[in-house]
């Protein structure tokens, strides 16, 4: 259990700035998810926290004690930080049991005690009986789970997970998520979890940090992040959000009346937002419904997604804009439909500008 | 292409040895095992065998310790002056074993120029500590440490940082991670280097000859030499029997290596960042000082002795402002045209052998490691034989093979430079193969598969994917070949002919004629030339893939 | 009367410079013969030659090597051809084979040398076995050097010395390793104070400043005679005979003297630094017996000295 | 463009049988997805098709010509099969451009033509300007995209993709999916696509093969696979399906009346199914709704998933059974609710037995 404090952290590789003045406070025992597009610096941030890279500027503190930056450099092995690598980093010369048992060996756990805890960890990742295998004899998902088990077997204060479930199917993911939750509850370790799966982040994390090009652009609990994105970029990134221009007719106490493509609707807005006139509206597929009312639109394409279809439509009023709508069945491309706005989020005005500039 | 590589190795390694073996069991063409039985029944044979094993094992241990230490220092830490350290650490390879033995002996004896200059030379006639088993072991160890170093250095380049980081995140201290992760992962390279050091030690003649014979300490190669000196018609057969014994010892070393590798898996995934730059922190300065101190002992001292010898007019004259002369250099470089010719020949032979062997080693390693052909694995073991044999014995085998004109072709290679070239190819084959196969053990097979799926045929794949990935190891092998062949003494001793002298022959003849000062002068020049070549290589090495020039970062 | 541009192959154990000088001198007299020569230590030359015999295609026409024992061995194996019409005037009968298969070309005696810094002054072979020289003497090994083989055989054959003398030497800490070059280095370098050695090395090197001095022991010296012989398989017998004849001729013998060796032919002036030939006392020596005892001698020697 | 025919393919590693008598026909130009739990043999199947493994039994034919098995062994380089490896397999000694350009180099494409096609492929995976980087200087997702670009740059008859999008975020995935579709439409290559993301499989594939422990357990177009799982195993694997016992009251022409936990409901059934009595019912979260009608149940847990929550409930009538229900907001654990069955699928009777036995 450690709290982590990151102050103005910057990391450059040669000329390119990969982390740009990142500040972040992670509470003791918190479960923080890191979301962000590929290459935005998530892994780099994790590696800095673990101690495998040194900051170009800024510093990192564990429980208020500096561990990196400004002359401090606590070596990784002294940080009590477990990490699951994106590339697994299993040791080819060891069996699965030896890989998983390594952290215990380091801590001097021997004999039956070690065997038992290794077996437990392997059982937790649903790989009992794989003790004697070599990493080369495992499937991709099995390797990933061994890497997980290795991390579970130690007793870390901080757990860093770099896309730990990327190669697993839905069911294993679900059961691994359960394992993380239980592990977290049992050990109270501070966990930082990189994932590209938003559902996973939402399901697991206390808070989610959204990163973009080396910066943290929003840090909020899952529900809030989803419901109230603070910028257009986050709005688009989270929950397949689309953004459209609208006219705000009234806005007060977190509720707004807007006109979108000629039709009026009620949406949510920030408590402080009270502007009238032009606005930008974030619309998620679930916010819209195809039916008898609403603005007219044309179906562009339909994507089947199991229990439902995601239908992409373009409003006749503004064919530049593409919106996604959930519908029980796919609709034929070209069909004319009416789309009703059931919900939506009016983006805060100030955020729109930097996002625009950055794009 | 693979078949060609395999055939090449088979011909070079098996044919000379088979010819010798034929001589052992059928001296002069008549099958007769009494001689073999006689040799094997002799007590001297077994004493020498025991000594050979003992010195080789202990010497290898020293080589491993030194080579590993330096490779880790250069490959993984943030020590300064890595290029210089690497460069200097390789230099013992360039000094022929006889000369290093001599230099070390001089260090310890009453004649030591160093000790005499310091005024602490022991009294005349005091027995020299280096003329002993310990001396042999030490000099063997130092001489062959670069073999371990180079193999390991090349392998460390392909070690992904994540492998170590995962250990440190598990709480392992750098030392613990070194012991449990780095060294085990380096096993193929370590085994390759150790195997090389072991066969080199088993087959070494110069060092035990110089340091062992005065102490009455015989090893197999010196025993063979003594047998050769009996001049009788049976000597070839007798030496052949003893050589077979050496072959068996070498094979034993190889078996150990194979056994070590068989138990484990060492393939590393292909893309990750290279490990390195571990901070030594407070230990940096002491470590660096230790490294430089060791270098001073193992390199500077013998080299200084060599230079000192080359600078005096006659052996035994004390070096001083009044006695120093460049006359010896003038004599060997300008008066004796054989020296310059020998430089040219040795350069061509060593360079040619290095080049050919690097090209053979890659497809051959592919065959052994990835195709896992049984024949290839047998050949892999057999390739060690010509290197394990004392050079003079290999020379005899080559004479037996090539004394008559080649069948069909009708031309004779005997008395041409080509017979030396072939002998070099056979002898140094293993120096190139070991590091390359060791490195390939660690390469993720998927890298080649990815090339196959694009439709690339084998030669193209070898050239564009396998070779560049193995380039550091192949270059290490080529460098080993070049440096050893350039100063090689014993193989060419029997094979040279007028106009085809090698540097080793020149040095040996001068030495043999009691002209040590001239011999030392040639050696100094040859070390200087090698150093110049190495520097030249680093100058042009900018265009080569990283790792090809070991002393470049 | 040799064919124009004919080729003569010579294997020799002479030092490089001497071999070159010999060949040059011969060529000056016989410009039509192209001499190809190979030089190496006796052991290596013989190993090479034996391998060539085993391979069935020996290369050399003429052999010029250090000692007569080796020549005896080749003669016994039927490798040499006689040169009956050779001109041996001025050569004592002990200096050539009765069947005229090999002929001595010079006298290389084995005595001993001392480092000039050494305190004692041994004068005889027997002195070397005395306790005051314990651990200070080195000698060449008969396993490496032909001259040493002859020397050991000469001592062993001699009732005044015999094996008891050699045993005493060994007990006194005398070492034996390598050839004469190694002994030269050991003594000149000060590893050892005294060394048994062939004459010309210390005599030549001391003129260059090396701190050594050569002694002809009072009991006499052993000598190798650097015999020359024509192989039975010689391809160019005519040129080979010319070559042998040249070495035995007065010119050839003067050349040997110029190179710093005692000439074998009477009446040729010895080189400077050497006493007159007549004053040098030779230990008696029987090459045939030496050959017969060779294996035994080497074995006993290695048992005593290891080398 | 090749059709692929797999006949009775078996692959053993030592004692363990990894593929067990797999037969499969993939039409020319078809887009087939392979779904299945971790370790079920997907990668192995792909490697056999590509030619990196040899069958233990059975054979593989391309366009009716045997390429592997029964003495045939066409080497991988002669099969014109592109593969994106689960481990990327980028060449560390080459730059990104060299990696991507390699297939072109093999085909003798030179100079500007090559540079151009490399740039195109990199642009397609949204990595323009990365030409000069080395793989070691890339993030995980970037590496994966380079591997993709390399595959796109060749002109293969068959494309095998092994979880090619596992390390990418939703948006990149969506745009990569688009690229695959366009690539497929343009080249007409036969594509086999391993994924653990069912939505991805459903969105892309013509047909989906579900694998389980070395066998193919169902092979159907996405909609059919989702709507009509042929076995309990598939039912559970696809679309978070749950299975419950029910009583069939009437069943005819693909429609059935059943009684579940004491409440009657209409569900779908196979056209041939006509059994009355005991039955097994597959229920997806979308088939159920929490409301005023239906059977009584208790909320076990709720998982927030962005636009909605997935609520797990246990029917009071049979607390052993867990069912998942989609609901707009999370519900408190322990709450009593009523659950209505809006849809469902009556599993074919015969399939139930082997699935049970296999479990
Ligand atoms: N070389 C091998 N030796 C022994 N078993 C192996 C070997 N390679 C794979 N296996 C086993 O074969 C099974 C199938 O492996 P495969 O890689 O095909 O799985 P997969 O379906 O691709 O799984 P994932 O989704 O986890 O990548 C696994 O249980 C694996 O452990
Ligand atoms: N050694 C390096 N040299 C130069 N650039 C690097 C290096 N390592 C990473 N980068 C760059 O830094 C950026 C951030 O990399 P990082 O691995 O942190 O991304 P990420 O957010 O983890 O992405 P992904 O989700 O794809 O794994 C990337 O654009 C990458 O190309
Ligand atoms: Mg990453
Ligand atoms: Mg797989």
């Amino acid at each position: 259990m450690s709290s982590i404090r990151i102050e103005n952290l910057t990391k450059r590789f040669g000329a390119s700035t990969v982390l740009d003045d990142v500040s972040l406070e992670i509470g003791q025992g918190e479960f923080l998810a890191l979301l962000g597009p590929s290459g935005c610096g998530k892994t780099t941030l994790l590696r800095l926290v673990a101690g495998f890279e040194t900051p170009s500027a800024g510093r990192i503190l564990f429980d208020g004690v500096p561990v990196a930056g400004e002359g401090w450099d606590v070596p990784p092995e002294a940080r009590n930080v477990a990490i699951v690598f994106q590339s697994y980093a299993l040791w080819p010369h060891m069996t699965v049991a030896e890989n998983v048992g390594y952290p215990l060996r380091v801590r001097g756990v021997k004999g039956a005690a070690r065997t038992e805890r290794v077996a437990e960890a392997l059982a937790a990742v649903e790989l009992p009986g794989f003790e004697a295998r070599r990493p080369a004899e495992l499937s991709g998902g099995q390797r990933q789970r061994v890497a997980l088990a290795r991390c579970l077997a130690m007793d870390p204060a901080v757990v860093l997970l770099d896309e730990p479930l990327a190669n697993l199917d839905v069911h294993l993911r679900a059961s691994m998520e359960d394992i993380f939750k239980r592990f977290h509850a049992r050990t109270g370790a501070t966990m930082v979890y990189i994932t590209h799966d938003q559902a996973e982040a939402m399901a697991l994390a206390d808070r989610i940090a959204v990163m973009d090009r080396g910066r943290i652009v929003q840090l909020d609990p899952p529900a809030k992040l989803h419901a109230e994105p603070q910028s257009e970029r986050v709005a688009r990134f989270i929950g397949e959000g689309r953004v459209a221009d609208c006219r705000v007719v009234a806005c007060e106490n977190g509720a707004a009346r807007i006109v979108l493509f000629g039709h009026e609707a009620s949406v949510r807005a920030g408590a402080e937002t009270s502007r009238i006139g032009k606005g930008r509206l974030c619309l998620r597929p679930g916010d819209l419904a195809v039916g008898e009312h609403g603005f007219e639109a044309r179906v562009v394409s339909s994507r089947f997604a199991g229990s439902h279809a995601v239908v992409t439509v373009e409003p006749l009023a503004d064919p530049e804009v593409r919106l996604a709508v959930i519908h029980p069945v796919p609709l034929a491309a070209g069909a004319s439909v009416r789309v009703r706005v059931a919900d939506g989020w009016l983006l805060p005005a100030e955020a729109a500008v930097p996002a625009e500039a950055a794009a | 292409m693979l078949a060609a590589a395999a055939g090449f190795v088979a011909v070079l390694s098996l044919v000379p040895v088979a010819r010798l073996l034929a001589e052992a069991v059928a001296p002069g063409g008549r099958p007769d095992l009494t001689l073999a039985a006689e040799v094997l029944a002799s007590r001297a044979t077994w004493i020498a065998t025991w000594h050979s094993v003992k010195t080789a094992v202990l010497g290898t241990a020293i080589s491993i310790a030194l080579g590993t230490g330096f490779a880790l220092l250069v490959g993984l830490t943030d020590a300064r002056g890595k290029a210089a350290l690497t460069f200097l650490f390789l230099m013992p390879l360039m000094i022929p074993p006889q000369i290093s033995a001599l230099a070390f002996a001089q260090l310890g004896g009453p004649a030591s120029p160093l000790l005499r200059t310091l005024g602490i030379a022991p009294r005349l006639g005091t027995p020299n500590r280096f003329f002993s088993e310990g001396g042999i072991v030490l000099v063997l160890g130092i001489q062959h440490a670069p073999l371990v170093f180079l193999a390991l250095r090349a392998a460390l380049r392909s070690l992904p940082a994540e492998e170590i980081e995962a250990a440190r995140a598990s709480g392992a201290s750098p030392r613990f991670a070194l012991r449990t992760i780095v060294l085990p992962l380096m096993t193929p390279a370590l085994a390759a280097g150790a195997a090389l050091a072991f066969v080199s030690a088993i087959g070494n003649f110069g060092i035990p000859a110089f340091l062992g014979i005065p102490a009455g300490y015989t090893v197999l190669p010196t025993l063979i030499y003594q047998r050769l000196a009996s001049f009788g018609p049976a000597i070839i057969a007798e030496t052949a029997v003893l050589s077979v014994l050496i072959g068996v010892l070498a094979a034993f070393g190889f078996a150990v290596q194979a056994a070590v590798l068989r138990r484990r898996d060492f393939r590393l995934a292909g893309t990750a960042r290279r490990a390195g730059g571990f901070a030594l922190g407070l230990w940096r300065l002491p470590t660096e000082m230790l490294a430089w101190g060791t270098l001073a002992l193992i390199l500077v001292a013998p080299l200084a002795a060599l230079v000192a010898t080359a600078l005096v007019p006659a052996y035994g004259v004390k070096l001083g402002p009044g006695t120093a002369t460049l006359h010896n250099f003038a004599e060997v470089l300008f008066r004796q045209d054989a020296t310059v010719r020998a430089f040219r020949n040795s350069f061509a032979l060593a360079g040619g052998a290095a080049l050919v062997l690097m090209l053979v080693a890659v497809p051959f390693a592919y065959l052994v490691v990835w195709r896992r052909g049984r024949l290839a694995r047998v050949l892999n073991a057999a390739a060690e034989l010509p290197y394990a044999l004392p050079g003079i014995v290999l020379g005899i085998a080559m004479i037996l093979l090539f004394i008559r004109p080649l069948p069909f072709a009708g031309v004779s290679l005997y008395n041409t430079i080509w017979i030396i070239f072939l002998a070099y190819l056979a002898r140094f084959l293993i120096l190139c193969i070991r590091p390359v196969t060791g490195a390939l053990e660690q390469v993720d097979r998927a890298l080649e598969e990815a090339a196959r799926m694009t439709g690339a045929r084998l030669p193209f794949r070898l050239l564009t994917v396998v070779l560049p990935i193995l380039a550091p190891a192949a270059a290490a092998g080529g460098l080993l070949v070049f440096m050893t062949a350039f100063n090689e003494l014993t193989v060419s001793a029997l094979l040279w002919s007028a106009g085809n002298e090698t540097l080793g022959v020149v040095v040996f003849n001068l030495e043999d004629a009691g002209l040590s000062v001239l011999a030392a002068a040639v050696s100094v020049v040859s070390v200087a030339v090698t150093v110049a070549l190495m520097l030249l290589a680093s100058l042009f090495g900018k265009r080569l893939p990283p790792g090809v020039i070991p002393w470049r970062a | 009367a040799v064919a124009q541009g004919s080729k003569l192959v010579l294997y020799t154990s002479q030092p490089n410079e001497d071999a070159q000088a010999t060949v040059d001198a011969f060529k000056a007299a016989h410009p039509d013969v192209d001499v190809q020569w190979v030089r190496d230590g006796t052991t290596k030359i013989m190993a090479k030659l034996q391998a060539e015999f085993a391979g069935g295609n020996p290369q050399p026409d003429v052999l010029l090597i250090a000692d007569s024992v080796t020549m005896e061995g080749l003669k016994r194996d039927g490798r040499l051809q006689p040169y009956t019409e050779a001109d041996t005037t001025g050569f004592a009968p002990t200096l050539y084979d009765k069947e005229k298969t090999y002929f001595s070309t010079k006298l290389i005696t084995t005595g001993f040398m001392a480092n000039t810094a050494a305190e004692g002054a041994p004068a005889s072979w027997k002195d070397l076995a005395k306790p005051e020289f314990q651990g200070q003497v080195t000698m060449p090994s008969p396993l490496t050097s032909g001259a040493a083989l002859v020397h050991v055989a000469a001592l062993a054959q001699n009732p005044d010395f015999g094996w008891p003398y050699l045993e005493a030497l060994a007990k006194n800490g005398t070492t034996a390793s390598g050839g004469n070059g190694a002994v030269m280095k050991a003594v000149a370098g000060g590893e050892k104070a005294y060394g048994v050695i062939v004459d010309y090395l210390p005599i030549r090197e001391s003129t260059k400043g090396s701190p050594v001095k050569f002694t002809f022991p009072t009991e006499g010296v052993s000598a190798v005679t650097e015999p020359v012989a024509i192989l039975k398989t010689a391809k160019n017998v005519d040129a080979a005979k010319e070559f042998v004849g040249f070495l035995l001729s007065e010119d050839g013998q003067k050349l040997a003297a110029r190179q710093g060796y005692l000439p074998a032919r009477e009446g040729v002036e010895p080189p400077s630094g050497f006493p007159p030939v007549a004053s040098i006392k030779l230990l008696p020596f029987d090459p045939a017996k030496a050959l017969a005892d060779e294996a035994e001698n080497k074995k006993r020697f290695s048992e005593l000295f290891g080398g």
Side-chain angles (χ1 to χ4, degrees), chain A residues 6 9-11 17-24 32-49 192-195 198 208-220 225 231 233-234 237-238:
Chain A
I6 294 167
L9 199 64
T10 294
K11 177 69 188 174
T17 303
V18 171
L19 287 182
D20 187 3
D21 197 29
V22 170
S23 294
L24 178 63
L32 181 93
L34 277 179
L35 269 182
S38 166
C40 70
K42 305 181 293 295
T43 300
T44 307
L45 182 60
L46 226 59
R47 291 176 55 79
L48 277 155
V49 171
V192 182
Y193 191 99
I194 296 184
T195 177
Q198 301 183 5
I208 298 177
V210 180
M211 288 186 69
D212 189 33
R213 284 170 296 177
R215 292 164 171 279
I216 291 182
V217 289
Q218 187 166 353
L219 174 62
D220 267 318
L225 181 73
S231 66
R233 223 156 226 291
V234 177
F237 189 72
I238 301 290

Side-chain angles (χ1 to χ4, degrees), chain A residues 43 86 162-163:
Chain A
T43 300
Q86 203 166 7
D162 197 351
E163 310 204 3

Side-chain angles (χ1 to χ4, degrees), chain A residues 127 130 133-145 167-169 172, chain B residues 267:
Chain A
L127 286 177
F130 277 66
R133 290 266 192 110
R134 307 247 161 229
E137 299 165 352
L138 297 179
S139 77
Q142 289 166 342
R143 285 179 207 178
Q144 193 158 46
R145 283 181 278 159
N167 284 306
L168 304 182
D169 61 88
L172 263 174
Chain B
R267 279 164 290 170

Side-chain angles (χ1 to χ4, degrees), chain B residues 7 136 143 177-178 197 245 331 420 538:
Chain B
I136 296 175
Q143 185 79 18
L178 185 70
L245 211 55
E331 170 76 24
I420 306 182
S538 36

Side-chain angles (χ1 to χ4, degrees), chain A residues 169-321:
Chain A
D169 61 88
V170 176
H171 297 267
L172 263 174
R173 287 174 97 101
S175 68
M176 293 301 126
E177 284 174 22
D178 268 2
I179 289 172
F180 288 140
K181 275 194 197 143
R182 266 184 281 135
F183 178 81
H184 186 221
R186 178 165 58 80
T187 63
T190 307
M191 298 181 79
V192 182
Y193 191 99
I194 296 184
T195 177
H196 54 258
D197 184 332
Q198 301 183 5
E200 203 169 283
M202 306 254 170
L204 287 169
D206 296 327
R207 287 191 302 163
I208 298 177
V210 180
M211 288 186 69
D212 189 33
R213 284 170 296 177
R215 292 164 171 279
I216 291 182
V217 289
Q218 187 166 353
L219 174 62
D220 267 318
K224 178 146 190 240
L225 181 73
H226 189 267
E228 304 178 0
Q230 292 305 302
S231 66
E232 203 167 318
R233 223 156 226 291
V234 177
R236 286 182 196 279
F237 189 72
I238 301 290
E240 293 190 69
R242 307 295 163 101
V243 179
D245 274 323
C246 67
R247 195 155 47 78
V248 183
V249 183
C251 183
E252 220 176 16
N253 296 333
R257 284 297 293 168
I258 52 115
V259 179
L260 181 71
F261 309 129
H263 286 248
E264 208 163 296
S266 292
V267 298
R268 291 168 291 111
E272 316 79 42
T273 314
S274 61
R275 140 194 60 129
I276 304 283
K278 269 187 86 174
R280 298 277 287 166
L281 190 65
C282 163
L283 291 164
R284 298 268 161 56
D287 294 342
L288 301 172
V290 171
E292 329 230 294
H293 310 288
F295 58 85
E296 280 179 288
R298 209 172 54 77
V299 174
V300 179
S301 64
S302 278
R303 183 160 57 87
F304 182 59
S307 61
H308 60 271
V310 179
V311 179
T312 304
V313 299
E314 49 182 40
L316 295 191
D318 185 356
E320 295 287 274
V321 176

